[in-house]
Amino acid sequence: MAFQLVLPDSKSVSQAPSPLAYAVDRTFFYAAAAGALAIILLVIYILWEIGGQALPAIGRSGASVLVNTQWDVQNSSFGILPQIWGTLYSSLMALLIGGFIGVSIAIFLTQDFLPHSLATVFRTLIEMLAAIPSVVFGLWGIFVVIPFVRPAADWLHDAAGFIPFFSTSLSGPGMLPAVIVLSIMILPTVAAISQDAIGLVPYKIKEAAYGLGATRWEAILKVILPTASGGISSALVLGFGRALGETMALAMLIGNANQISLSLFSPATTLAALLASNFPEAGAIERQALMYAALVLLAITLVVNVAGTLILLWTSRKMAKA
Amino acid sequence: MAFEASPATPAMAIPSGSDGKPPSLGYNSFEPRALWNLILTLGLWAVAALGATPLLSVLYMLIVKGGARLNGELFTELPPAGFEMGGGIGNAIQGTLVTVAIASLISIPIALFAAIYLAELRPLSRISSVARFLAKVLTGFPSILAGVFVYAAVVLLMGSYSALAGGVALAVLMLPTITLTAEGAMHMVPQRMKDAAIGMGCTNTQVVWSVTLPTALPSIVTGIILAVARVAGESAPLLFTALFSNYWLRNITEPTASLSILIYNFSSMPFDNQIELAWAASLVLVMIVLGFNILSRFIGRPQV
Amino acid sequence: MTNASVLEKPTATAGAAIDCNIDKIYYGKFLAVRDSNIAIEKGKITGFIGPSGCGKSTVLRSLNRMNDLIKGFKLEGNVHFHGQEIYDKGVDPVVVRRHIGMVFQQPNPFSMSIFDNVAFGLKLNRFKGDVEERVQHALTRAALWDEVKDKLKASGLSLSGGQQQRLCIARAVATQPSVLLMDEPCSALDPIATRRVEELMLELKNDYTIALVTHNMQQARRVADITAFFSVDISQGGRTGHLVEVGPTDQIFDAPQEKLTKQYIGGEFS
Ligand SMILES: Nc1ncnc2c1ncn2[C@@H]1O[C@H](COP(=O)(O)OP(=O)(O)OP(=O)(O)O)[C@@H](O)[C@H]1O
Ligand SMILES: [Mg+2]
């Protein structure tokens, strides 16, 4: 890059960048490219490490792990069906509750139910919820949620124990407190992304609905939510993804019992909770099985997150065209 | 009643005038659609109130239970053993600060370089689109898997749990968030400002260094602080990387305590003293995390 | 060459700072400009006029390789700057842009102080002399000094639109590049600010070579020594811009040789 322009007049101070500037420029470029590559390599390395460590376990038991219900270290029988069940069940329930509340709050904050300044305060409160660490929610769940729901749970079990959801009594940690805390934890995610999605609905569409004589709720339910449905679905999918990977609060609240039950009051377990409670003390063989469990968790969340990201990309492209 | 408004068939509500009676334009609160409106609005207020209660309850508990132990001893003493009374969480605070600092040192430079590449140098290249997509996927990555990965990649390699391994695990979580927020911040710098620099004959480095970065700095710093705040509260990635320790940290190749793991461990202990300390540690942790959040709001957005 | 050029170059290329022979410019598959040959003469103001979308900006931005940033941009032909082909393989566009400065349609000061904005190019070119004096000189030439001399530390963004544009001009002239490209520099300005910028151009002409894109025919008439008229050609399907006629400003306005030019000047299409 020794190119120099030779000029007849020399009043100008213009000159080519110094060799040093060129060297810096090139180094800078490679450093930046290395940074971008680092992200790609990191993901590959993560898959390779976890996959590699899980390989012996995969070779030993193959897909049978996915249907085996025993986690028995003595007999080297490692099944994770209860964990998969618990992960999906708790996350789905949390999605039902947290998703409903989250979308409701998004409507509440965007459709002029509150004066602007109050809406800002409320939004900040919900955002603060997202900042509370998982372990703190766990602690709160143990000392506030469990004592609080226990009387109601006992009453439901006595009065309606024939319904599978209430078929056991709540003796402390269990699915219900876990689901409640999990719902609270995904609520801010759902609320934030849904607010963005609703914010993207052009004002003229809302105007058109009012112009046709729709009431506020008719406009919300029949025009605004359907228009924002793509963004709201991705909010729900990403909230679900968050719930699937949540570890500590669940490990503290779900009871870590290796069983499959529909009952909201019985203790259960999840993949992340299994990792959290067994990994530190595991021997070599068990650790390989845990790596396999980690791989399954990775696969589930990957599918869900990629789906959520794609929906978000796809709908924002569609909205940009509209 | 001049006419019945029916939400299902709004066309019918248009007064035709042919029946000779003028339409009534007053409110009618017993009309089904008005009633529905009221019910839905009340329901929404109830749900919103329900959504806000947990935060208030958590804050209340933190202040009442955690505040009770908020004294000097808390910050200077080591955690008590089983039946011991008193004690503090000094080494856990130290451990959290150290692991977060290690994570920041590792992830911030890499993330900023990556963001510059994605936003400025080769925004449309294949590497950029793949990296951007993977970063987005990584942000939804369960944090415990960062722990599993670092266990395999660092702990097994070094032969022991360590503060360093904990820092690396947190760095894995910070990297994609900072990259994406910094990229977004650089995108917000108006193209015409960058054009001005290019038009004067700036090299790529000079454009980034003297125009893009300074202009985007407030947003970038905000993103970094939020990422730091988030990992400061993380516990799952530390469980089997930094592990725990009952002593002060002297060397980053040793295991270390951290606030989050201390809360986890103490929450299941049958001793009131430990439970109280868990609440106090929660209060300190939340103050750190919220403090960072508030700080990020003060730094605010760029003035472009 | 083609129908486009009734171009007798009286001064030939001897007095030309930039000699541009464009055969074709593509944006991807889209042929934006064809057959446009102009010499930007030293010490003169060359005005580019023509209907919107005829490729004035495209041609102007090709003169300092600003278009290299646009994906799919391709130029066939050549552009000589003091006899050197700027699209040659070994040429660094960064160096080209340091010699051929640019003022954009929208004022685009950096978010730094007024002083730093003007000193930016000096630092970039490792200027060793008296920076403060240069900054004052440039601001004076841009007719901005009196308005900002007491607040050189204030942000460039705190100025009004017209002041911002003059700041951008000061920034561009501080390094005294040999050519200044100006793309509708007055389109965001009110009439008074426009007048000041026009006076400035006339004054700068003594030391600089200027190429000016303008939508305002009166402006071209007032300031340009040479005027180039571009038009769009929709006969071949696409909308391709090309040079119709170039010559001394008086001639273009009073005695155009081409029918298209006559129609445009006469306001028959715009
Ligand atoms: N970045 C680009 N990518 C693709 N096509 C472009 C781009 N910039 C300009 N064009 C096209 O090239 C043609 C010429 O555009 P140009 O901006 O040069 O016109 P102009 O004469 O400056 O118009 P105006 O007077 O409106 O500024 C137009 O048809 C335009 O659509
Ligand atoms: Mg133009």
Side-chain angles (χ1 to χ4, degrees), chain A residues 7 12-15 18 22, chain C residues 92 98-99 125-126 175-176:
Chain A
L7 286 187
S12 162
V13 308
S14 303
Q15 50 177 306
S18 64
Y22 277 122
Chain C
D92 181 1
R98 291 193 183 187
H99 290 282
N125 287 291
R126 305 187 303 284
T175 56
Q176 307 197 329

Side-chain angles (χ1 to χ4, degrees), chain A residues 66-89:
Chain A
L66 304 178
V67 290
N68 183 350
T69 58
Q70 298 297 313
W71 190 273
D72 185 344
V73 183
Q74 253 71 50
N75 297 315
S76 286
S77 162
F78 302 108
I80 54 171
L81 186 61
Q83 284 77 13
I84 295 179
W85 162 259
T87 303
L88 293 177
Y89 189 50

Side-chain angles (χ1 to χ4, degrees), chain C residues 3 6 15 33 43 58 94 119 133 149 182 192 218 232:
Chain C
N3 63 336
V6 216
V33 176
T58 300
V94 166
E133 182 231 300
K149 63 169 183 263
M182 306 177 106
I192 296 178
Q218 301 327 323
V232 205

Side-chain angles (χ1 to χ4, degrees), chain B residues 216-286:
Chain B
L217 199 63
S219 306
I220 295 177
V221 173
T222 304
I224 291 177
I225 294 176
L226 286 177
V228 167
R230 189 192 142 204
V231 300
E234 278 290 353
S235 35
L238 298 178
L239 265 177
F240 31 88
T241 53
L243 206 68
F244 193 74
S245 152
N246 285 314
Y247 307 100
W248 293 99
L249 177 67
R250 311 218 172 276
N251 189 326
I252 60 167
T253 55
E254 293 167 2
T256 179
S258 57
L259 284 169
S260 49
I261 303 295
L262 179 134
I263 297 166
Y264 175 62
N265 289 347
F266 281 13
S267 71
S268 57
M269 286 194 180
F271 309 111
D272 284 346
N273 185 30
Q274 269 77 354
I275 302 288
E276 279 172 24
L277 280 177
W279 280 108
S282 297
L283 179 63
V284 173
L285 186 57
V286 168

Side-chain angles (χ1 to χ4, degrees), chain B residues 40-155:
Chain B
L40 287 171
T41 304
L42 289 179
L44 189 67
W45 275 89
V47 172
L50 186 67
T53 341
L55 180 74
L56 300 179
S57 167
V58 169
L59 293 181
Y60 173 82
M61 292 299 283
L62 287 177
I63 292 166
V64 171
K65 296 255 186 177
R69 287 291 287 266
L70 203 59
N71 50 30
E73 204 187 348
L74 186 74
F75 297 91
T76 53
E77 299 282 308
L78 289 172
F83 288 95
E84 243 180 316
M85 291 315 288
I89 56 171
N91 64 339
I93 297 175
Q94 178 206 23
T96 290
L97 296 180
V98 170
T99 42
V100 170
I102 294 172
S104 306
L105 284 178
I106 297 173
S107 64
I108 294 174
I110 301 179
L112 289 185
F113 274 123
I116 289 168
Y117 190 83
L118 299 190
E120 291 286 304
L121 298 182
R122 292 288 183 278
L124 302 174
S125 72
R126 166 138 326 148
I127 291 185
S128 290
S129 39
V130 173
R132 200 176 286 125
F133 183 77
L134 290 181
K136 272 183 198 140
V137 172
L138 261 186
T139 49
F141 188 72
S143 61
I144 191 157
L145 291 184
V148 173
F149 162 67
V150 171
Y151 176 84
V154 180
V155 176

Side-chain angles (χ1 to χ4, degrees), chain A residues 1-19 21-22 25, chain C residues 42 81-82 84 90-92 94-96 98-99 122 125-127 134 175-178 207:
Chain A
M1 282 285 166
F3 169 73
Q4 287 282 342
L5 273 170
V6 189
L7 286 187
D9 57 348
S10 53
K11 206 163 29 154
S12 162
V13 308
S14 303
Q15 50 177 306
S18 64
Y22 277 122
D25 197 44
Chain C
K42 244 186 254 172
F81 175 57
H82 288 289
Q84 301 172 65
V91 172
D92 181 1
V94 166
V95 182
V96 173
R98 291 193 183 187
H99 290 282
L122 296 171
N125 287 291
R126 305 187 303 284
F127 176 66
R134 280 273 183 155
T175 56
Q176 307 197 329
S178 38
D207 300 323

